[in-house]
Amino acid sequence: MLKVQEIREIIKLIDESSVQEFEYESGDSKVTLKKHGGSVPVAEAQPVVQAPSPVQEAAPVRQENTSVEEQPSNEKNKAEEKVQESKTEASADYDYEVTSPMVGTIYHAPAPEDDPYVQVGDRVSNDSVVCIVEAMKLFNEIEAEVSGEIVEILVSDGDLVEYNQPLFRVKR
């Protein structure tokens, strides 16, 4: 049986994707989600019927989490400035784009208070971890896949990323 948090994540992922219908069956439980007009109404299954109420309560919790991450605003502003600088300096000066292998939320550091895995100007090897993409509460380390220098960071920490979306640009 799915937990309420897992159902919330499924609703969120379906709402943000092009998937129109999702069905999950396990033992005597059945969950069916259908997207109509941009929203995700829930049909069939008692655990899911209870999900809309907690999902509405989850939004403030997520905002609190982001505000905690945003406390070191000087560090975040500096990182954003570096991203902007790199966009203007090296907009076409790259050989390879590191892309997201899945839909999820990107994190540039292992924890909010830690330094990012990579910054513009850092040298990476093909097995260097450059970020984490969280999908369904699983944190997946993303590797550079090539050796070179990070010349551009294309997404901000905490952004939602799509499958195959470019995340970093690397000059070999």
Side-chain angles (χ1 to χ4, degrees), residues 67-134:
S67 65
V68 170
E69 291 174 12
E70 291 175 3
Q71 283 178 351
S73 60
N74 289 342
E75 291 175 20
K76 187 170 183 179
N77 289 341
K78 288 178 187 176
E80 289 174 2
E81 287 173 12
K82 286 183 181 180
V83 170
Q84 292 301 326
E85 287 175 16
S86 67
K87 284 182 183 177
T88 57
E89 289 176 8
S91 60
D93 191 24
Y94 66 94
D95 299 318
Y96 184 81
E97 287 184 331
V98 178
T99 59
S100 178
M102 66 194 73
V103 174
T105 304
I106 187 170
Y107 297 104
H108 291 289
E113 65 277 352
D114 291 346
D115 291 333
Y117 287 108
V118 294
Q119 296 177 352
V120 173
D122 287 355
R123 302 271 324 152
V124 293
S125 61
N126 59 346
D127 60 348
S128 296
V129 175
V130 293
C131 65
I132 296 174
V133 174
E134 175 195 4

Side-chain angles (χ1 to χ4, degrees), residues 20-31:
Q20 294 298 313
E21 185 173 339
F22 174 81
E23 190 170 311
Y24 174 81
E25 215 172 315
S26 175
D28 60 347
S29 299
K30 181 178 178 181
V31 176

